[in-house]
């Protein structure tokens, strides 16, 4: 089996003028790299989840915006900036929930503005440098999340995770799976339970794939089995990722996460959200302010099945994310350490310290 840990999930081929991603819709059966140059293809890759996971979407959008900038034929800054903003607006419309998408595009726009006095080709170079900086920071930040998360684990622990917040959801390591991958590098072993994660099966197709490839003792369960697994006492800790954390600590993540947090409280299992500080959105006061992406009904009724598995005419509710109440979260594992309540105060310190507010 291909060890996915050898690949960067998102990359730039500057010579070719392409965003290079692993097509996650083909996993686990095929490891296929896509080279995307057209803005429409990059937008669709994000919408169709060929590249997915909050940090990976952010890096892909930054590289995508650089590629758009490269193609802009403008004489003056005003014209260049107007067209850059149009391109950013288009990429931002691909998915609404993961704040990293908007965060990365905003960083790119700021980098352009900061260099507005330069000649247009030099502004384009500055945008390439910023996109690569965002990518390199992502790798460093995820590794640091892994280091902090690892302090919560001991060899042989049982870990439950939901969706995929691993290497495939970032450039390397991931967030929720970073402690596992880092532990593996150091010869540790864990027993990881991964929820299948209906309807798009990120747990079965992606987390199970990258964990097995990394030699981790991995058990796949359907989402509705988590309660039994917790009751059996097989899980010492739950690690999940996150798409947007509101200022009060409410956290949006893949649909099913909040149910898991409720189960964790019931069975007394610590529930940690692993997220880079870029996922904390101080401009969003509480979870109910987070826009939740609604996806097509076919993902529930037809996808993966040989034949449709629900009657025509049935109504379908298919939110891609839910919001876990802050009271259910034991702590946030960030690149700066593990943050516990009071969340707002600690997030302010985190964002302030890094000048990111
Ligand atoms: O719809 P997806 O697959 O993009 O959802 C991804 C998740 O919910 C992840 O847990 C989240 O983005 C964190 S990734 C480090």
């Amino acid at each position: 089996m291909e060890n996915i840990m050898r690949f960067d999930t998102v990359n730039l081929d500057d010579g070719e003028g392409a965003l290079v991603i692993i097509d996650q819709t083909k996993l686990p059966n095929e490891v296929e790299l896509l080279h995307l140059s057209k803005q429409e293809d990059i937008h669709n890759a994000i919408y169709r989840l060929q590249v997915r996971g909050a940090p990976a979407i952010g890096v892909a959008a930054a590289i995508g915006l650089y590629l758009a900038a490269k193609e802009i034929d403008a004489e003056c800054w005003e014209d260049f900036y107007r067209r850059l903003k149009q391109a950013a607006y288009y990429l931002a419309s691909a998915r609404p929930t993961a704040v990293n998408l908007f965060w990365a595009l905003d960083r790119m726009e700021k980098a352009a503005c900061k260099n507005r006095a330069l000649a247009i080709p030099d502004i384009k170079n500055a945008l390439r440098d910023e996109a690569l900086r965002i990518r390199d920071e992502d790798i460093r930040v995820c590794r640091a999340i892994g280091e902090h998360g690892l302090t919560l684990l001991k060899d042989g622990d049982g870990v439950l995770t939901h969706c995929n917040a691993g290497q495939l959801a970032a450039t390397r390591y991931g967030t929720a799976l970073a402690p596992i991958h880092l532990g593996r590098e150091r010869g540790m072993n864990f027993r990881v339970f991964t929820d299948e994660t209906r309807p798009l099966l990120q747990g079965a197709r992606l987390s199970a794939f990258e964990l097995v490839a990394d030699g981790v003792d991995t058990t796949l369960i359907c989402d509705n089995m988590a309660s039994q697994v917790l009751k059996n006492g097989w899980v010492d800790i739950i690690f999940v990722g996150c798409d947007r954390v509101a200022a009060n600590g409410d956290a949006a993540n893949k649909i099913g996460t909040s149910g898991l947090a409720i189960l964790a409280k019931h069975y007394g299992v610590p529930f940690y959200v692993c997220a880079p500080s870029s996922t904390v959105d101080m401009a969003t006061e509480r979870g109910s302010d987070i826009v939740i992406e609604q996806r097509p009904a076919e993902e529930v009724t037809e996808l993966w099945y040989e034949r449709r598995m629900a009657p025509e005419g049935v109504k379908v509710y298919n939110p891609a994310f839910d919001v876990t109440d802050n009271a259910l979260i034991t702590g946030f594992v960030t690149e700066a350490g593990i943050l516990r309540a009071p969340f707002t105060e600690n997030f302010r310190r985190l964002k302030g310290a890094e000048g990111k507010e």
Side-chain angles (χ1 to χ4, degrees):
M1 180 184 290
E2 268 307 348
N3 189 346
I4 210 75
M5 307 303 290
R6 291 193 302 110
F7 295 92
D8 281 351
T9 300
V10 193
N11 220 330
L12 167 70
D13 184 332
D14 203 17
E16 187 194 359
L19 166 73
V20 184
I21 55 170
I22 299 169
D23 184 350
Q24 301 198 29
T25 61
K26 297 266 173 67
L27 293 172
N29 297 313
E30 287 164 53
V31 178
E32 186 183 316
L33 295 182
L34 293 177
H35 294 241
L36 307 175
S37 300
K38 288 196 205 125
Q39 288 298 296
E40 197 185 345
D41 292 342
I42 294 172
H43 179 282
N44 285 346
I46 296 173
Y47 175 72
R48 296 187 53 235
L49 276 63
Q50 286 173 309
V51 58
R52 38 124 333 260
I57 292 173
V59 176
I63 292 175
L65 192 60
Y66 159 62
L67 294 173
K70 226 176 150 180
E71 295 301 311
I72 296 175
D73 185 13
E75 296 284 323
C76 64
W77 157 256
E78 283 72 22
D79 191 23
F80 176 80
Y81 188 54
R82 184 181 53 77
R83 290 166 64 187
L84 185 77
K85 276 189 90 72
Q86 274 171 359
Y89 185 78
Y90 177 59
L91 287 173
S93 69
R95 296 189 77 185
T97 305
V99 75
N100 302 61
L101 174 63
F102 311 101
W103 169 86
L105 292 170
D106 187 54
R107 258 186 74 165
M108 292 292 286
E109 279 188 41
K110 284 192 174 125
C113 290
K114 206 172 118 198
N115 291 288
R116 59 182 291 171
L118 301 182
I120 304 283
D122 295 329
I123 301 178
K124 292 180 181 178
N125 287 339
L127 284 171
R128 182 198 53 227
D129 294 349
E130 185 67 359
L132 295 180
R133 211 171 292 128
I134 289 172
R135 182 202 62 187
D136 293 347
E137 272 176 33
D138 180 51
I139 297 170
R140 273 201 309 278
V141 158
C142 285
R143 201 181 151 88
I145 289 173
E147 287 286 3
H148 294 298
L150 205 48
T151 64
L152 299 167
L153 294 176
K154 41 183 203 324
D155 207 28
D157 268 355
V159 180
L160 175 62
T161 192
H162 189 68
C163 191
N164 172 264
Q167 166 102 359
L168 289 163
T171 311
R172 279 183 220 162
Y173 294 103
T175 60
L177 298 187
I180 311 288
H181 290 311
L182 207 60
R184 286 296 297 153
E185 277 182 19
R186 295 175 186 168
M188 295 172 80
N189 287 300
F190 308 106
R191 294 170 292 108
V192 179
F193 295 86
T194 174
D195 282 348
E196 174 182 52
T197 317
R198 284 277 298 151
L200 295 183
L201 307 185
Q202 289 93 332
R205 296 187 306 107
L206 309 178
S207 290
F209 177 71
E210 69 170 68
L211 288 166
V212 169
D214 201 26
V216 179
D217 173 342
T218 308
T219 305
L220 174 65
I221 57 171
C222 298
D223 301 342
N224 53 6
M225 298 167 189
S227 156
Q228 189 59 41
V229 168
L230 291 175
K231 192 172 190 168
N232 290 348
W234 293 345
V235 175
D236 299 288
I237 195 164
I238 297 178
F239 281 145
V240 295
C242 184
D243 283 80
R244 188 185 298 235
V245 188
N248 71 346
D250 292 345
N253 190 48
K254 181 53 53 195
I255 190 73
T257 303
S258 76
L260 207 53
I262 293 166
L263 291 176
K265 186 114 188 155
H266 182 76
Y267 288 110
V269 174
F271 182 91
Y272 284 90
V273 175
C274 305
S277 55
S278 52
T279 305
V280 178
D281 179 14
M282 297 306 278
T284 299
E285 211 176 310
R286 56 180 72 80
S288 53
D289 299 331
I290 299 174
V291 177
I292 300 293
E293 177 183 14
Q294 301 292 324
R295 307 266 316 169
E298 293 71 34
E299 289 181 351
V300 178
T301 55
E302 286 166 43
L303 197 65
W304 318 119
Y305 299 128
E306 239 175 75
R307 296 167 61 196
R308 188 182 161 90
M309 278 297 144
E312 294 288 353
V314 71
K315 290 195 286 186
V316 173
Y317 174 52
N318 184 18
F321 302 96
D322 60 23
V323 175
T324 301
D325 295 340
N326 54 18
L328 298 170
I329 297 170
T330 313
F332 287 87
V333 184
T334 74
E335 71 271 27
I338 298 167
L339 303 189
R340 299 176 198 277
F343 294 130
T344 312
E345 211 175 299
N346 289 329
F347 288 155
R348 237 180 237 136
R349 211 165 293 138
L350 171 77
K351 302 287 270 188
E354 290 158 25
K356 286 179 183 163
E357 208 161 359

